[in-house]
Amino acid sequence: MKHTSMAIAVAVLLGGIGAAVSAQPGSTVAVETSPGQATAVQVKETVATVESVDVKSRQVMIRDAAGREHALVAGPDVRNLEQVKKGDRVTVQYAESLSLKLVKG
């Protein structure tokens, strides 16, 4: 089984602020604020196993180390998607983000 490296950007809405701004090893956190607004983005990286690839729609189904399956869409920065096959181990980069806006009433 070969190890292929590809970056897949996926925006995932988090359930709470604490999860978005707590840095973990191997991740990068960016926080942007302005009056009444805040956005936090954390870029993470993990290794997963490819379950299926649809090159035409660029959809990739992966299984993480915990055994959970995730359906992802490979962004335009992913090259050589045609070479990725079921069973390949891939390194996946993704972003989790949370945006807040305070409004009256």
Side-chain angles (χ1 to χ4, degrees), residues 17-90:
I17 298 172
V21 295
S22 63
Q24 297 178 357
S27 66
T28 305
V29 177
V31 178
E32 181 180 316
T33 62
S34 61
Q37 298 182 28
T39 301
V41 178
Q42 183 173 13
V43 177
K44 294 182 175 182
E45 186 172 288
T46 190
V47 176
T49 303
V50 175
E51 293 296 315
S52 66
V53 179
D54 183 344
V55 176
K56 186 175 181 180
S57 67
R58 301 188 64 80
Q59 292 185 354
V60 181
M61 181 69 74
I62 61 169
R63 183 178 304 276
D64 63 19
R68 296 179 303 247
E69 286 192 347
H70 303 277
L72 309 173
V73 176
D77 56 331
V78 177
R79 298 177 302 226
N80 300 323
L81 186 60
E82 327 49 62
Q83 296 176 10
V84 178
K85 304 290 183 228
K86 180 178 179 174
D88 286 351
R89 303 270 298 156
V90 294

